[in-house]
Amino acid sequence: MRFIENAVPISYEYQGFWGSFWDIIWWFLWIFFFMAYLFALFAVIADLFRDHKLSGWWKAVWIIFLIFVPFLTLLVYLIARGNGMAQRSAKEASEIQSAQDAYIKSVAGGAASPADEIAKAKALLDAGTITQAEYDALKTKALG
């Protein structure tokens, strides 16, 4: 008993939320995993609504399971339907890219046809802006 009586009591003082370096690391780790979970959850929900082959009833079943057993359902979905999810995502990305390219081409005006180039050159020749030799050069360039 003498040992216990003479022992120096050790007390730890609470240093606040940011008091310990490892507490900060632990919080950042939890935040990272939570954000990764949310990203995966929203990706699965978006994929459910993107999939036109899946019936509405199956979509409802997946959503119900995502509500009541979210983590397990998320893992099962990613394992069972992950390959199709990647294919649907790639297909949508290519459709968006082609639509964007078509829009850019429509706004930019695109390249003029050879007939348009010759008509412009003829108008310049008739206006006296270019000579006959320059017109012939523009015409051969447009045709060739």
Side-chain angles (χ1 to χ4, degrees), residues 23-37:
D23 287 341
I24 296 169
I25 297 298
W26 186 248
W27 275 104
F28 277 119
L29 188 66
W30 272 108
I31 291 170
F32 170 78
F33 282 121
F34 181 70
M35 294 301 290
Y37 167 74

Side-chain angles (χ1 to χ4, degrees), residues 117-139:
E117 293 291 329
I118 293 172
K120 288 178 187 176
K122 180 67 173 159
L124 291 174
L125 177 65
D126 292 342
T129 309
I130 60 173
T131 64
Q132 182 66 37
E134 291 171 328
Y135 170 74
D136 292 334
L138 288 173
K139 184 177 175 183

Side-chain angles (χ1 to χ4, degrees), residues 22 30 42 51 55 60 84 99:
W22 293 110
W30 272 108
F42 288 127
D51 189 7
S55 72

Side-chain angles (χ1 to χ4, degrees), residues 82-104:
N83 191 25
M85 188 175 174
Q87 291 170 352
R88 284 184 292 277
S89 179
K91 181 182 174 188
E92 183 181 11
S94 67
E95 288 173 358
I96 290 171
Q97 181 67 41
S98 63
Q100 184 179 16
D101 291 343
Y103 173 73
I104 290 171

Side-chain angles (χ1 to χ4, degrees), residues 23-87:
D23 287 341
I24 296 169
I25 297 298
W26 186 248
W27 275 104
F28 277 119
L29 188 66
W30 272 108
I31 291 170
F32 170 78
F33 282 121
F34 181 70
M35 294 301 290
Y37 167 74
L38 286 179
F39 272 100
L41 182 67
F42 288 127
V44 165
I45 291 172
D47 184 63
L48 275 172
F49 290 105
R50 184 184 305 135
D51 189 7
H52 299 295
K53 295 179 183 175
L54 196 61
S55 72
W57 289 105
W58 280 111
K59 290 178 185 181
V61 168
W62 278 111
I63 294 293
I64 289 169
F65 275 101
L66 278 171
I67 291 170
F68 291 111
V69 190
F71 189 73
L72 180 64
T73 306
L74 185 67
L75 287 177
V76 169
Y77 189 90
L78 290 175
I79 292 169
R81 297 178 50 91
N83 191 25
M85 188 175 174
Q87 291 170 352

Side-chain angles (χ1 to χ4, degrees), residues 107-119:
V107 171
S113 68
D116 292 337
E117 293 291 329
I118 293 172

